Amino acid sequence: MNRVAVDLGDRSYEVRIGPGLFARAGVEIAPLLRRKRVAIVTDATVAALHLSALTAALEAEGIAVSSLALPPGEATKNWANLAQCTEWLLDQKVERRDVVVALGGGVIGDLVGFSAAILRRGVRFVQLPTTLLAQVDSSVGGKTGINTAQGKNLVGAFHQPSLVLADIDVLTTLPDRDFLSGYGEVVKYGLLGDAVFFDWLERDGPAIRAGDAAARLKAVTRSVEMKAGIVSRDETEEGERALLNLGHTFCHALEKATGYSDRLLHGEGVAIGCALAFELSSRLGLCSQEEPSRVRAHLKAMGMKVDIADIAGDLPGPDALIALMGQDKKVVDGRLRFILARGIGQAFVADDVPGDAVRAVLTDAFRNR
Ligand code: NAD
Ligand code: GLY
């Protein structure tokens, strides 16, 4: 088992990564409990695959379990399910000193984490991420929340988990498309700050996809190390944490345009967004044309979505997408903010990106559709 620390003073916690972790969940979680019971919130797909084994592992340590399964999918991250989850936790008589368990992908982690943040003005929670995306990104760092009609993740709270258990064995049941979506976030870490990691991904990405356990452990651990370091230095995104949004300004507009539907998964949007961010960086003369070409070549070699053309169905045009970016919460004083790069592994925050350059990149992307 690898351990990565998120250093946040009295809210510090560990991310534990390895095979067989859910089988040890009782042993790992028991030290956090003041009374031996937990409430687990998951989604129906994950419940069918992993809830009974997890429950058995907890009960083996004398921990009583109650559970709620919400519907799977991005649409679950809404007000109605937040209300249902929070009221269910109240019905379970979860108290301030208890621990809530979020078992699932980023949707469950974000929703349940937010519910824990507002329940009795904040109860502790443990993240048990079951998708690659959740293991490398969403379970770490304390961003929680839901989507609203106005946009994605616009309502939420910073609420750090007390522990994260990333069991790489559970990734074996993840459909390939969801695995590759999470891989979009893995690539993001190389692109934003670790060129050597990106080199390794170019080489070993196929082994990671094929299920090589050692390669998966390394990919998850290095990603978590990078995120934990950034979050420890800048928890509330005053500066460096914004780098984690590489590709996300494009991604959020595309997700909104596709109605947060199966047409585009979050990590797919991140991958397309990273390719567009490198294209934009190159057009602005920040890096050579070889850099976006290399990004695109790796995504393509992994069988991932790379272009706007890879999104099925109709999309609004460049100007409408730019308007959707205007709804993004990263807009500062009405200006669009992008994370750009001077090369692979060298991302930075750019507040003064000319709108014409963004429009030109999108116009060309649509021309290729
Ligand atoms: P998800 O939670 O919807 O999971 C994807 C699908 O995989 C779901 O259908 C789920 O039921 C299924 N699934 C989960 N684990 C499985 C397993 N082990 N085996 C089989 N099926 C499994 O989506 P996601 O990609 O994990 O997360 C996306 C969400 O994460 C978005 O809402 C995004 O905004 C959020 N996010 C949050 C942060 C953050 O910092 N909080 C960061 C990145 C993304
Ligand atoms: N996924 C972006 C962040 O956690 O800040």
Side-chain angles (χ1 to χ4, degrees):
M1 174 169 73
N2 292 338
R3 294 167 186 262
V4 180
V6 183
D7 294 320
L8 292 168
D10 59 3
R11 288 170 299 105
S12 296
Y13 56 95
E14 269 190 3
V15 184
R16 298 178 192 156
I17 307 154
L21 272 185
F22 282 10
R24 295 180 42 81
V27 177
E28 302 291 338
I29 292 173
L32 296 174
L33 304 181
R34 306 239 167 82
R35 55 176 172 162
K36 286 201 149 191
R37 49 172 285 193
V38 292
I40 301 175
V41 184
T42 186
D43 75 32
T45 304
V46 176
L49 292 164
H50 300 294
L51 183 59
S52 58
L54 176 66
T55 301
L58 291 164
E59 288 176 349
E61 292 301 310
I63 300 168
V65 174
S66 59
S67 60
L68 169 70
L70 297 170
E74 184 70 30
T76 292
K77 243 173 78 173
N78 65 13
W79 287 111
N81 286 303
L82 177 69
Q84 190 193 341
C85 173
T86 308
E87 291 184 8
W88 178 80
L89 291 170
L90 287 170
D91 287 343
Q92 300 307 303
K93 310 227 173 341
V94 173
E95 296 176 3
R96 281 295 298 277
R97 290 146 62 95
D98 288 332
V99 170
V100 172
V101 174
L103 170 69
V107 165
I108 287 297
D110 281 12
L111 175 94
V112 178
F114 186 36
S115 181
I118 59 176
L119 183 72
R120 301 189 192 278
R121 300 196 178 87
V123 301
R124 293 171 301 151
F125 79 116
V126 172
Q127 290 266 22
L128 268 55
T130 62
T131 62
L132 180 60
L133 182 142
Q135 295 194 350
V136 300
D137 191 353
S138 61
S139 66
V140 180
K143 279 191 183 176
T144 70
I146 57 169
N147 306 325
T148 70
Q150 289 78 8
K152 201 173 150 61
N153 297 331
L154 291 179
V155 175
F158 284 100
H159 187 51
Q160 298 293 342
S162 299
L163 176 67
V164 182
L165 296 180
D167 184 339
I168 60 164
D169 284 345
V170 300
L171 300 179
T172 54
T173 59
L174 196 61
D176 191 48
R177 185 178 175 197
D178 288 298
F179 189 86
L180 285 182
S181 169
Y183 188 79
E185 300 278 10
V186 175
V187 171
K188 180 191 79 176
Y189 289 109
L191 295 178
L192 75 87
D194 189 343
V196 173
F197 183 50
F198 185 79
D199 292 346
W200 177 74
L201 292 174
E202 283 181 316
R203 216 173 39 249
D204 282 16
I208 296 168
R209 181 180 181 185
D212 181 310
R216 286 187 171 188
L217 183 62
K218 178 172 171 177
V220 175
T221 303
R222 181 63 194 136
S223 300
V224 170
E225 282 171 353
M226 289 193 68
K227 178 145 190 187
I230 290 172
V231 168
S232 297
R233 291 186 292 272
D234 177 23
E235 181 183 12
T236 54
E237 203 170 310
E238 307 303 317
E240 185 186 1
R241 185 165 180 167
L243 297 181
L244 296 172
N245 295 324
L246 177 63
H248 281 59
T249 307
F250 288 112
C251 170
H252 286 176
L254 291 168
E255 280 185 296
K256 188 147 201 288
T258 49
Y260 308 116
S261 69
D262 276 0
R263 283 175 63 199
L264 184 72
L265 303 180
H266 178 71
E268 293 173 341
V270 171
I272 294 171
C274 284
L276 289 170
F278 268 78
E279 184 60 39
L280 182 56
S281 302
S282 156
R283 295 215 187 180
L284 292 170
L286 294 163
C287 65
S288 71
Q289 180 54 45
E290 280 76 59
E291 309 274 319
S293 300
R294 202 176 148 197
V295 175
R296 292 168 51 81
H298 179 54
L299 298 176
K300 267 195 199 307
M302 291 296 290
M304 298 168 70
K305 289 188 171 60
V306 183
D307 294 307
I308 285 181
D310 296 330
I311 303 170
D314 289 338
L315 278 178
D319 285 325
L321 282 180
I322 290 171
L324 290 177
M325 290 172 191
Q327 294 292 324
D328 195 285
K329 66 184 182 307
K330 290 182 292 301
V331 173
V332 179
D333 298 333
R335 288 173 300 166
L336 278 172
R337 164 185 283 201
F338 281 86
I339 311 303
L340 298 179
R342 296 192 176 87
I344 286 170
Q346 300 172 62
F348 67 99
V349 181
D351 285 318
D352 294 320
V353 179
D356 287 352
V358 179
R359 189 169 291 103
V361 166
L362 286 172
T363 302
D364 283 356
F366 274 90
R367 204 166 282 140
N368 297 331
R369 234 170 113 77

